[in-house]
Amino acid sequence: MVRQGVGRLYLILACLSLALHLFLVLFCLSVLQTSCLLQPTSSSSISSSLSGAAPHDRQGSSSHKPLPGHQNGVTARSAHIDHRDKASFDMAVETGKDRKLIGAGTATKMAHGHSKLEALFSHPLYNLPWPPLLEDDWLLKLKPKKKNGEDSKEEEWESDKSSYDQANWTSSTETHPPWLSYHLGITRWELYDRKDPNVAEVIQQMATQPILSAVQKSGGTQLKLIVSFPNYGQALLKPMRQGRDAETDVNLFYFSDFERHNAEIAAFHLDRVLGFNRIPPVVGRLINVTAEIRGITTDHKLSRTFYTSPVGNVCFHGQCEYYCTTESPVCGRPQVLEVSLASMLPDLSLAPRRTWRSPWRRSYSRTKLAPWEKNPDYCVKVKETPPYSEGTRLVDFIDMVVLDFLMSNMDRHHYETFEKFGNETFLLHLDNGRAFGRHSVDEPSILVPLRMCCRIRRSTLMRLRLLSLPGHRLSDVMRESLSRDPLDTVAPLLSEPHLTALDRRLATVLQAVNRRILYLLSKCVTVDSAGGVNS
């Protein structure tokens, strides 16, 4: 009897000890405030986003449907909930609703037989609610109509140049070419709306319209051209310099590699698949070097660099800082050349941009280390420095870090934003030509900002977890997305080893986040060998 009573006592004490442990863990998660933890999202904000309501529109109308129109003539859209929400993901807290939202939509995809890409873009995480845009949230505005009695022709933009389309643009959206409508659709929170038909039209026209002029773009270390189309649209052309399957030489530094035309195309698709929408539309195209560059260029410095190689290929090298010599030419086969075409952003006179030096910029030296490579607490200083000390700039930067790690881009020394929007806006993910250089090796140093700062946007993390699931696997949706580019008919834009590397790197990002969660939990509660609890 005595032994049974002692056994029951031990059992009761064990249950009480377990309950106390659970209580202390929950208590620590609710009150823990350290430099690695993020300001938690309010429960009302989370529940609103998961239920389909916009948390920033609580004081307004109960309806969260997009506005019927906008003064720019573009379908009204709204600022992404994450940009307006000051709270980013708390790595030590993950709600059951988050996991439920990640799993939503998978069964629908299988039932209806949609493609994985279509299933991904129909998922709730890619269709979050938007609060209404304010007037100052649009990058560009059309001039107001003239008052009665004034010359109405001043409202129109006319052209009678014979080689270009006969243009007669007014405030009516029906007269606007797709690239103008795309520019008018740029907002504080994203470069384009994935569902905007004008973006698809811009891509289609860049791939098919005749090229009327080609001149070399000044600046930069490698050859780039600006080409113009009949509807006055323009694109940045980067030529094919090496084969798709050629990996960067392991003996080269990150700043010594050629840029890749297919990397620019793949970066646009990856940015879109991640739900960022911060890279201008890019498309691949086959051009005739003689007819579509040499024969039409008015750039005499460029035209003087054309020559015929010993095997009969038409080559040129232009004039730039490093890789513009006869030792590193661009050559057709014999005249056909693969290129990438990236739609140009609005002119700087209309929409000035500010260039920011990356806090985690590399030294670009063969011997020196950057400050962040020498100081493990470097992020503490960054988080105290504007613009990273407030708003969403830091998690916006982490978004770019995740993108760069997935495509192994070590060349992110600067980034740009539109000046009009100040510090509360998205980052432009421009110039990705040095991405996808190696598929066999991952570069862990690209992820240092994520590991140092312990911050990531909640919706970004949830989309990354979604892309790790078999039904939405990143490599599968990227393969399908890239298959829609015209150059995919020549050869896949990313080889299978590169697609496999995307899945591997995605797993690395998620492992890095999970390790930080475990580390923070261990800092919150430690259990000693005697069963005691220290918090």
Side-chain angles (χ1 to χ4, degrees), residues 53-112:
H56 301 284
D57 201 27
R58 288 191 294 268
Q59 297 177 353
S61 171
S62 60
S63 174
H64 305 290
K65 296 181 179 179
L67 299 177
H70 186 268
Q71 62 178 349
N72 283 0
V74 184
T75 302
R77 292 180 285 113
S78 306
H80 196 292
I81 188 173
D82 286 331
H83 289 286
R84 304 294 295 273
D85 191 351
K86 300 300 182 184
S88 41
F89 182 70
D90 183 337
M91 285 190 174
V93 178
E94 179 187 10
T95 67
K97 289 183 178 180
D98 290 343
R99 292 189 292 272
K100 183 177 180 181
L101 183 59
I102 292 174
T106 305
T108 303
K109 173 256 176 185
M110 297 301 294
H112 294 281

Side-chain angles (χ1 to χ4, degrees), residues 91 402 405-406 442 444 447 450-451 456 461 464-465 468 502-520:
M91 285 190 174
V402 171
F405 178 75
L406 291 176
D442 301 339
L447 273 187
L450 173 64
R451 294 192 174 101
I456 188 169
L461 179 58
L464 292 176
R465 287 174 172 169
S468 70
L502 285 174
D503 292 331
R504 183 180 68 242
R505 291 165 186 162
L506 174 59
T508 301
V509 174
L510 295 176
Q511 288 171 5
V513 174
N514 291 336
R515 287 194 189 102
R516 296 308 300 173
I517 293 175
L518 294 175
Y519 170 76
L520 295 173

Side-chain angles (χ1 to χ4, degrees), residues 29 48 169-170 353 438 530 535:
L29 291 179
S48 297
W169 305 339
T170 68
R353 301 192 298 271
R438 292 182 196 157
S535 61

